[in-house]
Amino acid sequence: QVQLVESGGGSVQAGGSLRLSCAASGDTASRRCMGWFRQAPGKEREGVASIYIGGGSTSYADSVKGRFTISHDNARNTLYLQMISLKPEDTAMYYCAARPGSWWSCPSLRQYDYTYWGPGTQVTVSS
């Protein structure tokens, strides 16, 4: 079993920055592939960034490339999403997700690949 808890969301103006954190606990092997997803009102949940904990390879949605950076601190069992140059269209509930994975199947931005989910943290970007 894996538990995920996000933090760090908030309200910022366009052009601002936020860093999201996801504290993870539970079976390590079950969270070797981790990702950040977001869902805006009336829209489907979409993959933002993913990382393979075992090797460090990452993947990003085109809409956030160059602005968002995903990372993982193994000692703290914490996943991060550094977000800069935020835009109003980044406004959404952000979720941390995890699943077992190997180098050939992770990173992944497909939500249905993931088993474990956090409750989410809200990010609001005003113009």
Side-chain angles (χ1 to χ4, degrees), residues 83-125:
M83 306 184 293
I84 65 171
S85 302
L86 283 161
K87 305 175 181 179
E89 51 264 44
D90 294 319
T91 295
M93 184 71 78
Y94 283 70
Y95 300 91
C96 172
R99 68 174 179 88
S102 298
W103 63 268
W104 63 84
S105 63
C106 184
S108 171
L109 297 179
R110 300 182 303 183
Q111 62 168 319
Y112 299 107
D113 286 349
Y114 289 83
T115 307
Y116 304 101
W117 293 84
T121 186
Q122 178 69 37
V123 172
T124 302
V125 185

Side-chain angles (χ1 to χ4, degrees), residues 38 46-50 59-68 109:
R38 67 186 181 186
E46 63 173 347
V48 174
S50 174
S59 178
Y60 295 91
D62 288 343
S63 59
V64 307
K65 281 180 181 177
R67 301 189 299 120
F68 291 10
L109 297 179

Side-chain angles (χ1 to χ4, degrees), residues 28-34 51-55 98-102 106:
T28 302
S30 295
R31 47 185 169 92
R32 291 183 67 79
C33 188
M34 299 191 73
I51 185 169
Y52 174 51
I53 306 303
R99 68 174 179 88
S102 298
C106 184

